Amino acid sequence: MQERERIEVYSTLHYENGISQVIQEPISEEKPLTIYLNGKELVTMLCSPEEEKYLAVGFLVSEGMITDIKNLTLLTVDEERGLIWAEADQVAYNAG
């Protein structure tokens, strides 16, 4: 996959104290990311397209889906399509 800039500069309309003007502002790219756990779709979220695997693992742990990253047996990332499949041998009740 070709590396590209994740932040682009766009013209935006800025309004302050009754005065509007067009200014240039940096805007970060976001894209949808869907996380599956043991074949079950859990969530689709918007995120910066960088290091999605860490976001997915952090989500699974912080939401209590898994208690420890050692429970993960497989993590497959499809950056192009914005999909992550996680497999775990121990999951929280009704998590996957």
Side-chain angles (χ1 to χ4, degrees):
M1 184 166 95
Q2 180 182 2
E3 188 62 31
R4 57 188 203 91
E5 189 66 34
R6 303 293 185 192
I7 297 176
E8 294 192 31
V9 177
Y10 291 92
S11 295
T12 62
L13 184 60
H14 184 76
Y15 183 82
E16 187 174 346
N17 298 325
I19 300 170
S20 62
Q21 60 183 351
V22 175
I23 62 172
Q24 301 296 308
E25 295 221 67
I27 307 292
S28 177
E29 176 186 354
E30 289 187 334
K31 71 177 201 176
L33 176 68
T34 302
I35 301 172
Y36 296 84
L37 178 59
N38 292 346
K40 180 179 177 183
E41 183 176 339
L42 295 179
V43 66
T44 298
M45 61 180 82
L46 287 178
C47 68
S48 297
E50 289 283 327
E51 306 294 349
E52 294 98 330
K53 64 183 174 188
Y54 297 112
L55 176 62
V57 172
F59 173 83
L60 293 172
V61 173
S62 68
E63 293 298 315
M65 303 290 178
I66 60 173
T67 56
D68 192 302
I69 61 172
K70 293 177 185 174
N71 297 131
L72 288 175
T73 57
L74 181 67
L75 191 69
T76 305
V77 179
D78 183 339
E79 292 178 3
E80 195 68 31
R81 294 179 16 204
L83 302 172
I84 294 185
W85 295 273
E87 296 289 330
D89 54 8
Q90 294 180 21
V91 298
Y93 173 75
N94 208 21

